[in-house]
Each structure stands twice: as structure tokens, then as C-alpha cells.
Amino acid sequence: MKFNLFRRPEAVEVTEPTGATTGTMAPTVPPAFISTSAPDITGSNNTEISKNDMFEEIKSKFLNEIDKIPLPPWALIAIAVVAALLILTCCFCIIKKCCCKKKKNKKGKKGKDGFNMKNMQGGEDEEDDDEGETGLTEEEKEEEEKEEEKLGKLQYSIDYDFENAKLTVGILQAADLISMDSGGTSDPYVKVQLLPEKKKKFDTKVHKKTLNPVFNETFVFKVPYEELGGKILSMSVFDYDRFSKHDVIGEVKIAMNTIDLGRPIEEWRDLESADQEEPEKLGDICISLRYVPTAGKLTVCILEAKNLKKMDACGLSDPYVKIQLLQGGKRLKKKKTTVKKNTLNPYYNESFSFEIPLEQMQKILVAVTVFDYDKIGKNDAIGKIFVGSKASGLGLKHWSDMLANPRRPIAQWHPLQPEEDIDGQLASLNAKK
């Protein structure tokens, strides 16, 4: 059922009074009033009629479109309510977002001067800046903690003899070292070397269970004065560990071109943290083992080595191999190969035989050390390995394979390890007895 809300008022017919004449009657209104007001009344009526016609057309079109929709009136009302709710929700979210931005801007403006140019770049930039500032403060806190952590200090002396071109370094004492062992102490010693050459280095004696060791040891480097400018004196304090790698406590490094060698120097200096260096590659060696139980004969054949560490100034080495037969920490026999000149990949193929009864094979260790031959001075060890029933890793596997295959030579490559590490392992094996 349609309701016409914009219905025009109907004209009311006025009946003439009885007895009136049929002719037209002149209006009683004065002529002036008629002449002035008649045009205005007709104009306003025309505009009202046109507006009413337009509304009437819009209304009729709207009602016709609604009638075409195949939905009941209650469904249309429900759709209208849902649409209204969606519009209100969107408006509420927009208003809330604007209010949050204003609060963030107010917080960002708080500071020393109450104004920051970075805040002019928008809300996202402010959030990024805040995150960056918190990150910087965390880094600063970590740096402060590192600064507060003291490793200890070292007293040393330096004296240079210009006549004999000798640099004398004295390691006097250390104090307030950090504890590295579970008992709250350390077993410190100092390693002294003149960088960048690592060929010549000295170690002090190990002082057991102390954080304030007194060394009073001196070491001499023979270096011409002209070469001292490019050298760095390194004094590293280590904690000795019999069963594993020695841990570095701290170090002192002195560039020789920054000190006055015209007078003796004796001073204290705080230890600085030293980065743990990656294990240096020393090379590999291939050896063959053969045992004949009936004859009690052990044959060790040194086949070859490869990728040996450069020990000479020319970038090469003069390697030879030393074989030692050990029992209970004592050296029973030793053998040496020939020296191979100017090479990092020597080939030997030299065999050495030892008479060992079968019942003694479980007590024997064979240590193999590669040295760099030097005409002047001490021969430096490049690397070392050992095999036997008490070894571990490849050393134990190689020995077990040899015993499992009598009269048959068993060859195996072994990576060389630092001599001091192998000596520490051998010492720990002897201590367990």
C-alpha cells in the first residue's frame, strides 16, 4: 500500500450565495493592491509547484525501484541497519587513530628542549627513531659492562742494546687476574713474541693456583734496530690446562715505533681482551704402520707430508720428521728422516723398524714430529701427532687397524697439531697412571 506524503492540497469550491447574479462581480479589494501583489503570488506558486513535482518524481522512482527488489520489507530494514553500523564503526576507528597519533606526537616532543627535528618526519619515523634509541642504549650498556670487567694487569720491562742489536723483554709479575678455574684461581703463564713473525716465541713458567704470579723472567730477541719499527711486542697471559687447550686471559700489545728505546722501560699495564684465534693449519702427514706378532717387529714408514706451514722468510720450509718410541713417559728410541730442502710438500718413503714384544704393544706410544731444519739456531717444530692404544681419534683408529691386520701395512693421513698441545696430552696420559 502506497502512502503519498507529498499530496497537493485540493482546491475548495466556494458556492455562491443564493440570490446572486450570474454576472461576474468586481473584487472589493482596492486596485492598487491587486496590481502590486498579483504577480508575486503567481511566481512563488510556480516555484513551489516545480519543487513539489521534482520531489514527487524522485519519490515515485525510489518506490518503484524498491518494489522491484525481491525482498520483504523487514530484510531491507535489516540491511539498512547493518550498513549504518558499519559506517559508525569506520568513523570510530578513524577518530581513535587520529587521537593515538596526537598522543605519540606529544610524547615525542618531550625531551631536553621539548623539540626534535626528527619528530617532524611523521609517526613512523618517530617509532623507528625510538627503537633505534633503545638499541643504542643496550649497546652502550654492554660496552659499559665490558669496561667494568677487568682482566688484570701485567708488569713488564723493555730494554734495547744498540751495540749488540738485542731486545730484552722482562716479564716481572701479574696482579688481580680473573679466575679461570672452578676453584676460583688460575694457573697463569705468559707467552712473549715479536709480531708479525710467530716463529720465535717464549713462554714463562706456569704458576699454579694463583691470581698474582711473580715471574721475574727475561727473554732476548736479536733484532736489528732498523727492523724494530715494524714490530709489535705481544705479551699474552694464558691459563694452563693439562687436559684441554689453554685459555687466554688477556694480552698487552705494544707497537715498537711508539716507545722510546733510548732508556729502559718498566711499567704496569692493564690486560686487554684477546680474541680467540682460529687454530692454525699446520699441514698433514701420511704414515704407514705394520706389525708382525711372531717376530715382534713394528715398522713405521714416513710416506709424505703436504701443505706444511711456512717457516722460512722465503715462504718455504726445510722439513724432516722425528719418530719417538715412548713408554710410561720415557723415550725408548728415536729415529730421523732426511731433510727435504725448500718444500712444503715433502716426499720421504722412509721406513724405521722397532723390536717390540706383543705383550708390550698396549703400553707403547709412537710420537711423530715434523721439524723445520735451521742451520743457525734451534730447529722449530711445525706439528706433531701420536698413535697408540691410549691415543684418541685417528691415532687410536690407526693403531687398532694395524693390530687387526698383522703383517699388513696400514697407511693413514693425520692432521698435524701444535707440539705443545700433543705434549700436554701425553703428560695427562702419564699422570693418570
Side-chain angles (χ1 to χ4, degrees):
M1 180 178 181
K2 298 180 183 179
F3 297 94
N4 193 350
L5 300 177
F6 302 98
R7 182 176 297 174
R8 251 186 269 172
E10 297 179 354
V12 181
E13 295 182 357
V14 180
T15 58
E16 294 180 356
T18 58
T21 58
T22 57
T24 58
M25 292 179 64
T28 59
V29 183
F33 179 77
I34 295 172
S35 62
T36 56
S37 61
D40 295 334
I41 292 171
T42 55
S44 61
N45 288 335
N46 290 332
T47 56
E48 288 178 2
I49 291 170
S50 61
K51 289 180 181 179
N52 290 335
D53 292 340
M54 183 177 63
F55 291 142
E56 188 73 22
E57 291 177 1
I58 293 171
K59 185 197 68 166
S60 60
K61 288 180 180 180
F62 178 73
L63 293 174
N64 289 333
E65 294 295 330
I66 291 176
D67 289 337
K68 291 179 181 179
I69 299 173
L71 291 174
W74 62 267
L76 297 175
I77 294 171
I79 292 172
V81 171
V82 171
L85 290 175
L86 289 174
I87 294 171
L88 290 175
T89 304
C90 293
C91 294
F92 176 74
C93 293
I94 293 171
I95 293 170
K96 187 177 179 181
K97 195 172 183 180
C98 293
C99 294
C100 291
K101 283 185 178 180
K102 288 181 181 179
K103 289 180 181 179
K104 286 181 180 179
N105 290 336
K106 288 180 181 179
K107 288 181 181 179
K109 289 180 181 179
K110 291 180 182 179
K112 284 187 177 181
D113 300 329
F115 184 78
N116 188 355
M117 291 300 293
K118 291 183 178 179
N119 294 335
M120 301 295 292
Q121 297 177 357
E124 294 180 358
D125 293 339
E126 288 173 3
E127 292 177 2
D128 294 338
D129 291 341
D130 292 338
E131 291 176 0
E133 288 175 4
T134 55
L136 288 174
T137 53
E138 289 177 0
E139 291 176 0
E140 290 174 357
K141 287 180 180 178
E142 290 178 359
E143 290 178 358
E144 289 178 359
E145 289 177 359
K146 289 181 180 178
E147 290 178 358
E148 291 176 359
E149 184 183 4
K150 293 184 178 179
L151 305 174
K153 53 186 179 179
L154 179 69
Q155 186 185 25
Y156 60 90
S157 64
I158 301 174
D159 189 13
Y160 187 73
D161 185 356
F162 288 89
E163 293 182 0
N164 299 315
K166 290 182 180 180
L167 177 68
T168 303
V169 180
I171 303 299
L172 305 180
Q173 59 181 322
D176 303 327
L177 298 178
I178 61 171
S179 61
M180 303 293 287
D181 299 336
S182 58
T185 61
S186 296
D187 302 326
Y189 71 94
V190 182
K191 181 179 290 185
V192 184
Q193 53 187 344
L194 206 56
L195 303 176
E197 296 178 4
K198 296 183 179 181
K199 184 176 179 180
K200 194 170 187 179
K201 55 187 177 182
F202 301 98
D203 294 342
T204 66
K205 294 180 180 178
V206 178
H207 290 252
K208 296 286 186 179
K209 297 181 180 181
T210 178
L211 301 179
N212 300 281
V214 178
F215 299 101
N216 288 328
E217 298 184 41
T218 58
F219 308 99
V220 178
F221 297 89
K222 194 168 184 179
V223 186
Y225 180 75
E226 295 78 14
E227 298 180 6
L228 269 179
K231 306 290 184 182
I232 297 176
L233 179 62
S234 173
M235 296 170 284
S236 304
V237 182
F238 285 84
D239 173 51
Y240 175 80
D241 196 332
R242 177 180 290 181
F243 304 106
S244 63
K245 187 177 180 181
H246 306 165
D247 299 317
V248 60
I249 298 175
E251 66 178 1
V252 174
K253 286 186 176 181
I254 303 172
M256 299 306 296
N257 57 2
T258 61
I259 59 176
D260 182 13
L261 296 175
R263 58 182 182 84
I265 298 173
E266 183 177 324
E267 61 183 4
W268 286 90
R269 185 170 291 193
D270 291 333
L271 294 175
E272 298 178 355
S273 60
D275 296 332
Q276 293 283 353
E277 296 181 357
E278 295 183 359
E280 189 177 11
K281 293 182 179 180
L282 304 175
D284 302 277
I285 187 169
C286 183
I287 64 173
S288 172
L289 301 177
R290 179 175 179 264
Y291 184 69
V292 181
T294 55
K297 185 178 180 181
L298 173 66
T299 302
V300 180
C301 180
I302 306 299
L303 297 174
E304 60 179 318
K306 63 180 181 180
N307 303 324
L308 295 180
K309 179 184 174 183
K310 302 173 184 177
M311 301 296 288
D312 297 339
C314 61
L316 297 172
S317 297
D318 302 324
Y320 71 95
V321 183
K322 180 190 288 187
I323 302 100
Q324 292 177 310
L325 203 64
L326 306 175
Q327 182 179 1
K330 297 180 180 181
R331 186 178 65 189
L332 301 180
K333 294 181 180 180
K334 66 176 181 178
K335 303 284 185 177
K336 292 182 183 179
T337 66
T338 57
V339 177
K340 303 296 181 181
K341 294 286 186 179
N342 299 327
T343 180
L344 300 178
N345 301 281
Y347 181 79
Y348 298 99
N349 196 20
E350 300 181 26
S351 298
F352 306 91
S353 297
F354 305 93
E355 293 182 0
I356 305 172
L358 181 60
E359 58 272 13
Q360 297 292 325
M361 286 297 291
Q362 297 297 328
K363 303 177 183 179
I364 293 297
L365 294 174
V366 179
V368 179
T369 311
V370 182
F371 284 89
D372 174 51
Y373 175 76
D374 198 342
K375 291 181 180 180
I376 303 173
K378 183 181 177 182
N379 299 334
D380 298 312
I382 298 176
K384 188 174 184 177
I385 66 162
F386 75 97
V387 295
S389 59
K390 296 181 181 179
S392 60
L394 284 176
L396 177 59
K397 180 179 180 299
H398 196 181
W399 190 262
S400 301
D401 291 344
M402 175 198 67
L403 294 177
N405 297 275
R407 301 181 180 85
R408 179 180 171 186
I410 305 296
Q412 177 71 54
W413 282 97
H414 295 263
L416 293 173
Q417 300 180 39
E419 183 186 27
E420 55 268 22
D421 292 353
I422 298 298
D423 291 342
Q425 294 178 31
L426 294 173
S428 64
L429 291 175
N430 297 327
K432 289 180 182 179
K433 285 190 172 184

mmCIF file of all heavy atoms in Angstrom, residues 208-244:
data_model
loop_
_atom_site.group_PDB
_atom_site.id
_atom_site.type_symbol
_atom_site.label_atom_id
_atom_site.label_comp_id
_atom_site.label_asym_id
_atom_site.label_seq_id
_atom_site.Cartn_x
_atom_site.Cartn_y
_atom_site.Cartn_z
ATOM 1 N N LYS A 208 101.063 -22.250 39.607
ATOM 2 C CA LYS A 208 99.836 -22.963 39.924
ATOM 3 C C LYS A 208 98.984 -22.214 40.953
ATOM 4 O O LYS A 208 99.500 -21.683 41.952
ATOM 5 C CB LYS A 208 100.162 -24.364 40.475
ATOM 6 C CG LYS A 208 100.868 -25.284 39.474
ATOM 7 C CD LYS A 208 99.892 -25.763 38.424
ATOM 8 C CE LYS A 208 100.542 -26.788 37.507
ATOM 9 N NZ LYS A 208 99.610 -27.305 36.485
ATOM 10 N N LYS A 209 97.692 -22.187 40.680
ATOM 11 C CA LYS A 209 96.665 -21.731 41.625
ATOM 12 C C LYS A 209 96.994 -20.383 42.258
ATOM 13 O O LYS A 209 97.132 -20.251 43.474
ATOM 14 C CB LYS A 209 96.446 -22.781 42.717
ATOM 15 C CG LYS A 209 95.919 -24.097 42.171
ATOM 16 C CD LYS A 209 95.682 -25.105 43.276
ATOM 17 C CE LYS A 209 95.149 -26.422 42.698
ATOM 18 N NZ LYS A 209 94.883 -27.431 43.756
ATOM 19 N N THR A 210 97.108 -19.370 41.409
ATOM 20 C CA THR A 210 97.358 -18.019 41.898
ATOM 21 C C THR A 210 96.798 -17.005 40.919
ATOM 22 O O THR A 210 96.732 -17.267 39.711
ATOM 23 C CB THR A 210 98.858 -17.771 42.113
ATOM 24 O OG1 THR A 210 99.048 -16.417 42.550
ATOM 25 C CG2 THR A 210 99.643 -17.988 40.825
ATOM 26 N N LEU A 211 96.379 -15.879 41.437
ATOM 27 C CA LEU A 211 95.904 -14.759 40.613
ATOM 28 C C LEU A 211 96.887 -13.594 40.635
ATOM 29 O O LEU A 211 96.632 -12.575 39.988
ATOM 30 C CB LEU A 211 94.530 -14.286 41.106
ATOM 31 C CG LEU A 211 93.408 -15.335 41.087
ATOM 32 C CD1 LEU A 211 92.117 -14.739 41.634
ATOM 33 C CD2 LEU A 211 93.193 -15.878 39.681
ATOM 34 N N ASN A 212 98.003 -13.765 41.380
ATOM 35 C CA ASN A 212 99.023 -12.712 41.465
ATOM 36 C C ASN A 212 100.410 -13.342 41.311
ATOM 37 O O ASN A 212 101.219 -13.335 42.257
ATOM 38 C CB ASN A 212 98.911 -11.962 42.802
ATOM 39 C CG ASN A 212 97.556 -11.295 42.974
ATOM 40 O OD1 ASN A 212 97.297 -10.235 42.424
ATOM 41 N ND2 ASN A 212 96.686 -11.939 43.745
ATOM 42 N N PRO A 213 100.714 -13.897 40.161
ATOM 43 C CA PRO A 213 102.000 -14.608 39.997
ATOM 44 C C PRO A 213 103.170 -13.636 39.864
ATOM 45 O O PRO A 213 103.041 -12.545 39.316
ATOM 46 C CB PRO A 213 101.794 -15.389 38.697
ATOM 47 C CG PRO A 213 100.827 -14.556 37.918
ATOM 48 C CD PRO A 213 99.909 -13.945 38.925
ATOM 49 N N VAL A 214 104.327 -14.054 40.363
ATOM 50 C CA VAL A 214 105.580 -13.308 40.212
ATOM 51 C C VAL A 214 106.502 -14.161 39.332
ATOM 52 O O VAL A 214 106.909 -15.254 39.726
ATOM 53 C CB VAL A 214 106.231 -13.024 41.584
ATOM 54 C CG1 VAL A 214 107.550 -12.284 41.391
ATOM 55 C CG2 VAL A 214 105.292 -12.210 42.469
ATOM 56 N N PHE A 215 106.852 -13.652 38.147
ATOM 57 C CA PHE A 215 107.628 -14.417 37.181
ATOM 58 C C PHE A 215 109.128 -14.091 37.254
ATOM 59 O O PHE A 215 109.962 -14.971 37.425
ATOM 60 C CB PHE A 215 107.117 -14.137 35.761
ATOM 61 C CG PHE A 215 105.678 -14.518 35.559
ATOM 62 C CD1 PHE A 215 104.675 -13.571 35.578
ATOM 63 C CD2 PHE A 215 105.318 -15.839 35.348
ATOM 64 C CE1 PHE A 215 103.358 -13.911 35.380
ATOM 65 C CE2 PHE A 215 104.004 -16.201 35.149
ATOM 66 C CZ PHE A 215 103.017 -15.228 35.165
ATOM 67 N N ASN A 216 109.456 -12.815 37.059
ATOM 68 C CA ASN A 216 110.867 -12.361 37.053
ATOM 69 C C ASN A 216 111.695 -13.170 36.050
ATOM 70 O O ASN A 216 112.748 -13.741 36.385
ATOM 71 C CB ASN A 216 111.483 -12.467 38.454
ATOM 72 C CG ASN A 216 110.943 -11.405 39.401
ATOM 73 O OD1 ASN A 216 110.618 -10.291 38.964
ATOM 74 N ND2 ASN A 216 110.852 -11.723 40.675
ATOM 75 N N GLU A 217 111.226 -13.213 34.824
ATOM 76 C CA GLU A 217 111.937 -13.906 33.751
ATOM 77 C C GLU A 217 112.189 -12.926 32.605
ATOM 78 O O GLU A 217 111.374 -12.028 32.345
ATOM 79 C CB GLU A 217 111.118 -15.102 33.241
ATOM 80 C CG GLU A 217 110.857 -16.165 34.297
ATOM 81 C CD GLU A 217 110.124 -17.371 33.734
ATOM 82 O OE1 GLU A 217 110.452 -17.796 32.601
ATOM 83 O OE2 GLU A 217 109.210 -17.892 34.414
ATOM 84 N N THR A 218 113.339 -13.094 31.940
ATOM 85 C CA THR A 218 113.712 -12.219 30.820
ATOM 86 C C THR A 218 113.941 -13.055 29.566
ATOM 87 O O THR A 218 114.394 -14.199 29.638
ATOM 88 C CB THR A 218 114.981 -11.413 31.150
ATOM 89 O OG1 THR A 218 116.048 -12.333 31.456
ATOM 90 C CG2 THR A 218 114.756 -10.470 32.313
ATOM 91 N N PHE A 219 113.627 -12.430 28.435
ATOM 92 C CA PHE A 219 113.766 -13.091 27.132
ATOM 93 C C PHE A 219 114.426 -12.118 26.160
ATOM 94 O O PHE A 219 114.171 -10.901 26.221
ATOM 95 C CB PHE A 219 112.405 -13.538 26.600
ATOM 96 C CG PHE A 219 111.618 -14.350 27.590
ATOM 97 C CD1 PHE A 219 110.626 -13.758 28.361
ATOM 98 C CD2 PHE A 219 111.886 -15.692 27.766
ATOM 99 C CE1 PHE A 219 109.898 -14.495 29.271
ATOM 100 C CE2 PHE A 219 111.163 -16.443 28.686
ATOM 101 C CZ PHE A 219 110.168 -15.841 29.446
ATOM 102 N N VAL A 220 115.281 -12.653 25.292
ATOM 103 C CA VAL A 220 116.091 -11.820 24.393
ATOM 104 C C VAL A 220 115.723 -12.122 22.939
ATOM 105 O O VAL A 220 115.696 -13.290 22.522
ATOM 106 C CB VAL A 220 117.600 -12.054 24.627
ATOM 107 C CG1 VAL A 220 118.426 -11.216 23.642
ATOM 108 C CG2 VAL A 220 117.973 -11.723 26.073
ATOM 109 N N PHE A 221 115.413 -11.059 22.197
ATOM 110 C CA PHE A 221 115.187 -11.139 20.744
ATOM 111 C C PHE A 221 116.340 -10.414 20.058
ATOM 112 O O PHE A 221 116.633 -9.256 20.391
ATOM 113 C CB PHE A 221 113.865 -10.477 20.355
ATOM 114 C CG PHE A 221 112.643 -11.139 20.934
ATOM 115 C CD1 PHE A 221 112.149 -10.752 22.174
ATOM 116 C CD2 PHE A 221 111.994 -12.147 20.243
ATOM 117 C CE1 PHE A 221 111.025 -11.341 22.708
ATOM 118 C CE2 PHE A 221 110.872 -12.744 20.769
ATOM 119 C CZ PHE A 221 110.381 -12.347 22.005
ATOM 120 N N LYS A 222 116.956 -11.082 19.122
ATOM 121 C CA LYS A 222 118.037 -10.455 18.361
ATOM 122 C C LYS A 222 117.443 -9.845 17.094
ATOM 123 O O LYS A 222 117.153 -10.552 16.114
ATOM 124 C CB LYS A 222 119.124 -11.478 18.015
ATOM 125 C CG LYS A 222 120.411 -10.847 17.527
ATOM 126 C CD LYS A 222 121.539 -11.848 17.482
ATOM 127 C CE LYS A 222 122.847 -11.164 17.079
ATOM 128 N NZ LYS A 222 123.978 -12.116 17.041
ATOM 129 N N VAL A 223 117.243 -8.530 17.121
ATOM 130 C CA VAL A 223 116.587 -7.819 16.025
ATOM 131 C C VAL A 223 117.356 -6.537 15.742
ATOM 132 O O VAL A 223 117.623 -5.751 16.670
ATOM 133 C CB VAL A 223 115.123 -7.469 16.379
ATOM 134 C CG1 VAL A 223 114.413 -6.855 15.174
ATOM 135 C CG2 VAL A 223 114.375 -8.690 16.864
ATOM 136 N N PRO A 224 117.742 -6.281 14.480
ATOM 137 C CA PRO A 224 118.388 -5.001 14.149
ATOM 138 C C PRO A 224 117.444 -3.835 14.433
ATOM 139 O O PRO A 224 116.224 -3.956 14.312
ATOM 140 C CB PRO A 224 118.697 -5.122 12.657
ATOM 141 C CG PRO A 224 118.690 -6.596 12.375
ATOM 142 C CD PRO A 224 117.696 -7.191 13.316
ATOM 143 N N TYR A 225 118.036 -2.706 14.797
ATOM 144 C CA TYR A 225 117.221 -1.549 15.153
ATOM 145 C C TYR A 225 116.378 -1.068 13.971
ATOM 146 O O TYR A 225 115.257 -0.570 14.151
ATOM 147 C CB TYR A 225 118.134 -0.409 15.647
ATOM 148 C CG TYR A 225 117.364 0.824 16.044
ATOM 149 C CD1 TYR A 225 116.658 0.866 17.236
ATOM 150 C CD2 TYR A 225 117.344 1.955 15.214
ATOM 151 C CE1 TYR A 225 115.938 1.992 17.606
ATOM 152 C CE2 TYR A 225 116.631 3.088 15.576
ATOM 153 C CZ TYR A 225 115.931 3.101 16.766
ATOM 154 O OH TYR A 225 115.217 4.224 17.128
ATOM 155 N N GLU A 226 116.886 -1.232 12.751
ATOM 156 C CA GLU A 226 116.152 -0.769 11.570
ATOM 157 C C GLU A 226 114.861 -1.556 11.360
ATOM 158 O O GLU A 226 113.918 -1.053 10.749
ATOM 159 C CB GLU A 226 117.025 -0.900 10.315
ATOM 160 C CG GLU A 226 118.255 0.000 10.305
ATOM 161 C CD GLU A 226 119.383 -0.555 11.171
ATOM 162 O OE1 GLU A 226 119.289 -1.758 11.556
ATOM 163 O OE2 GLU A 226 120.332 0.206 11.482
ATOM 164 N N GLU A 227 114.794 -2.789 11.866
ATOM 165 C CA GLU A 227 113.611 -3.621 11.674
ATOM 166 C C GLU A 227 112.611 -3.519 12.818
ATOM 167 O O GLU A 227 111.493 -4.028 12.721
ATOM 168 C CB GLU A 227 114.029 -5.083 11.517
ATOM 169 C CG GLU A 227 114.922 -5.341 10.302
ATOM 170 C CD GLU A 227 115.324 -6.802 10.187
ATOM 171 O OE1 GLU A 227 114.802 -7.615 10.991
ATOM 172 O OE2 GLU A 227 116.144 -7.130 9.310
ATOM 173 N N LEU A 228 113.000 -2.859 13.908
ATOM 174 C CA LEU A 228 112.122 -2.800 15.076
ATOM 175 C C LEU A 228 110.878 -1.958 14.838
ATOM 176 O O LEU A 228 109.837 -2.178 15.459
ATOM 177 C CB LEU A 228 112.882 -2.245 16.280
ATOM 178 C CG LEU A 228 113.586 -3.265 17.177
ATOM 179 C CD1 LEU A 228 114.318 -2.558 18.298
ATOM 180 C CD2 LEU A 228 112.588 -4.262 17.747
ATOM 181 N N GLY A 229 110.966 -0.982 13.950
ATOM 182 C CA GLY A 229 109.833 -0.071 13.745
ATOM 183 C C GLY A 229 108.564 -0.769 13.298
ATOM 184 O O GLY A 229 107.457 -0.335 13.643
ATOM 185 N N GLY A 230 108.683 -1.853 12.556
ATOM 186 C CA GLY A 230 107.501 -2.563 12.076
ATOM 187 C C GLY A 230 107.084 -3.725 12.948
ATOM 188 O O GLY A 230 106.222 -4.528 12.542
ATOM 189 N N LYS A 231 107.662 -3.853 14.140
ATOM 190 C CA LYS A 231 107.351 -4.984 15.020
ATOM 191 C C LYS A 231 106.352 -4.575 16.102
ATOM 192 O O LYS A 231 106.234 -3.400 16.466
ATOM 193 C CB LYS A 231 108.622 -5.505 15.692
ATOM 194 C CG LYS A 231 109.742 -5.874 14.727
ATOM 195 C CD LYS A 231 109.421 -7.102 13.922
ATOM 196 C CE LYS A 231 110.602 -7.505 13.041
ATOM 197 N NZ LYS A 231 110.296 -8.686 12.206
ATOM 198 N N ILE A 232 105.640 -5.580 16.586
ATOM 199 C CA ILE A 232 104.701 -5.398 17.703
ATOM 200 C C ILE A 232 105.041 -6.429 18.768
ATOM 201 O O ILE A 232 105.062 -7.638 18.494
ATOM 202 C CB ILE A 232 103.238 -5.559 17.247
ATOM 203 C CG1 ILE A 232 102.871 -4.474 16.231
ATOM 204 C CG2 ILE A 232 102.291 -5.513 18.435
ATOM 205 C CD1 ILE A 232 101.475 -4.625 15.666
ATOM 206 N N LEU A 233 105.311 -5.956 19.974
ATOM 207 C CA LEU A 233 105.606 -6.845 21.087
ATOM 208 C C LEU A 233 104.291 -7.330 21.695
ATOM 209 O O LEU A 233 103.464 -6.523 22.134
ATOM 210 C CB LEU A 233 106.454 -6.133 22.137
ATOM 211 C CG LEU A 233 106.813 -6.941 23.386
ATOM 212 C CD1 LEU A 233 107.652 -8.157 23.029
ATOM 213 C CD2 LEU A 233 107.544 -6.067 24.404
ATOM 214 N N SER A 234 104.098 -8.639 21.703
ATOM 215 C CA SER A 234 102.872 -9.237 22.239
ATOM 216 C C SER A 234 103.196 -10.044 23.478
ATOM 217 O O SER A 234 104.070 -10.921 23.452
ATOM 218 C CB SER A 234 102.217 -10.133 21.184
ATOM 219 O OG SER A 234 101.125 -10.832 21.737
ATOM 220 N N MET A 235 102.498 -9.737 24.580
ATOM 221 C CA MET A 235 102.637 -10.468 25.840
ATOM 222 C C MET A 235 101.247 -10.946 26.254
ATOM 223 O O MET A 235 100.410 -10.145 26.687
ATOM 224 C CB MET A 235 103.252 -9.565 26.916
ATOM 225 C CG MET A 235 104.673 -9.113 26.584
ATOM 226 S SD MET A 235 105.310 -7.836 27.698
ATOM 227 C CE MET A 235 104.433 -6.384 27.082
ATOM 228 N N SER A 236 100.996 -12.232 26.076
ATOM 229 C CA SER A 236 99.677 -12.815 26.341
ATOM 230 C C SER A 236 99.724 -13.679 27.586
ATOM 231 O O SER A 236 100.606 -14.524 27.725
ATOM 232 C CB SER A 236 99.212 -13.651 25.145
ATOM 233 O OG SER A 236 99.203 -12.880 23.958
ATOM 234 N N VAL A 237 98.762 -13.472 28.468
ATOM 235 C CA VAL A 237 98.656 -14.249 29.700
ATOM 236 C C VAL A 237 97.653 -15.375 29.461
ATOM 237 O O VAL A 237 96.503 -15.123 29.076
ATOM 238 C CB VAL A 237 98.223 -13.376 30.882
ATOM 239 C CG1 VAL A 237 98.173 -14.200 32.169
ATOM 240 C CG2 VAL A 237 99.169 -12.189 31.044
ATOM 241 N N PHE A 238 98.078 -16.617 29.688
ATOM 242 C CA PHE A 238 97.245 -17.797 29.474
ATOM 243 C C PHE A 238 96.991 -18.512 30.791
ATOM 244 O O PHE A 238 97.783 -18.405 31.745
ATOM 245 C CB PHE A 238 97.912 -18.775 28.503
ATOM 246 C CG PHE A 238 97.853 -18.349 27.065
ATOM 247 C CD1 PHE A 238 98.804 -17.474 26.556
ATOM 248 C CD2 PHE A 238 96.861 -18.819 26.224
ATOM 249 C CE1 PHE A 238 98.759 -17.081 25.225
ATOM 250 C CE2 PHE A 238 96.811 -18.432 24.895
ATOM 251 C CZ PHE A 238 97.761 -17.562 24.398
ATOM 252 N N ASP A 239 95.899 -19.259 30.818
ATOM 253 C CA ASP A 239 95.616 -20.163 31.935
ATOM 254 C C ASP A 239 95.934 -21.578 31.466
ATOM 255 O O ASP A 239 95.312 -22.085 30.526
ATOM 256 C CB ASP A 239 94.150 -20.052 32.358
ATOM 257 C CG ASP A 239 93.785 -21.096 33.402
ATOM 258 O OD1 ASP A 239 94.502 -21.197 34.407
ATOM 259 O OD2 ASP A 239 92.786 -21.820 33.194
ATOM 260 N N TYR A 240 96.904 -22.204 32.101
ATOM 261 C CA TYR A 240 97.348 -23.545 31.703
ATOM 262 C C TYR A 240 96.290 -24.573 32.067
ATOM 263 O O TYR A 240 95.719 -24.568 33.162
ATOM 264 C CB TYR A 240 98.665 -23.885 32.391
ATOM 265 C CG TYR A 240 99.141 -25.294 32.143
ATOM 266 C CD1 TYR A 240 99.782 -25.637 30.957
ATOM 267 C CD2 TYR A 240 98.942 -26.293 33.100
ATOM 268 C CE1 TYR A 240 100.214 -26.938 30.732
ATOM 269 C CE2 TYR A 240 99.369 -27.586 32.891
ATOM 270 C CZ TYR A 240 100.006 -27.907 31.692
ATOM 271 O OH TYR A 240 100.424 -29.188 31.476
ATOM 272 N N ASP A 241 96.012 -25.460 31.116
ATOM 273 C CA ASP A 241 95.078 -26.558 31.348
ATOM 274 C C ASP A 241 95.720 -27.843 30.838
ATOM 275 O O ASP A 241 96.105 -27.936 29.682
ATOM 276 C CB ASP A 241 93.754 -26.306 30.624
ATOM 277 C CG ASP A 241 92.638 -27.205 31.145
ATOM 278 O OD1 ASP A 241 92.951 -28.312 31.615
ATOM 279 O OD2 ASP A 241 91.470 -26.801 31.081
ATOM 280 N N ARG A 242 95.847 -28.808 31.723
ATOM 281 C CA ARG A 242 96.566 -30.027 31.373
ATOM 282 C C ARG A 242 95.796 -30.873 30.359
ATOM 283 O O ARG A 242 96.387 -31.524 29.510
ATOM 284 C CB ARG A 242 96.807 -30.847 32.644
ATOM 285 C CG ARG A 242 97.484 -32.178 32.384
ATOM 286 C CD ARG A 242 97.703 -32.950 33.669
ATOM 287 N NE ARG A 242 98.713 -32.333 34.515
ATOM 288 C CZ ARG A 242 99.109 -32.830 35.683
ATOM 289 N NH1 ARG A 242 98.545 -33.932 36.145
ATOM 290 N NH2 ARG A 242 100.019 -32.218 36.399
ATOM 291 N N PHE A 243 94.454 -30.837 30.420
ATOM 292 C CA PHE A 243 93.668 -31.769 29.613
ATOM 293 C C PHE A 243 92.980 -31.125 28.417
ATOM 294 O O PHE A 243 92.287 -31.808 27.678
ATOM 295 C CB PHE A 243 92.610 -32.450 30.503
ATOM 296 C CG PHE A 243 93.188 -33.153 31.686
ATOM 297 C CD1 PHE A 243 93.058 -32.621 32.958
ATOM 298 C CD2 PHE A 243 93.879 -34.340 31.534
ATOM 299 C CE1 PHE A 243 93.589 -33.265 34.053
ATOM 300 C CE2 PHE A 243 94.421 -34.995 32.625
ATOM 301 C CZ PHE A 243 94.279 -34.460 33.891
ATOM 302 N N SER A 244 93.127 -29.842 28.216
ATOM 303 C CA SER A 244 92.483 -29.186 27.074
ATOM 304 C C SER A 244 93.330 -27.989 26.644
ATOM 305 O O SER A 244 94.414 -27.743 27.184
ATOM 306 C CB SER A 244 91.059 -28.739 27.432
ATOM 307 O OG SER A 244 91.084 -27.770 28.468
#
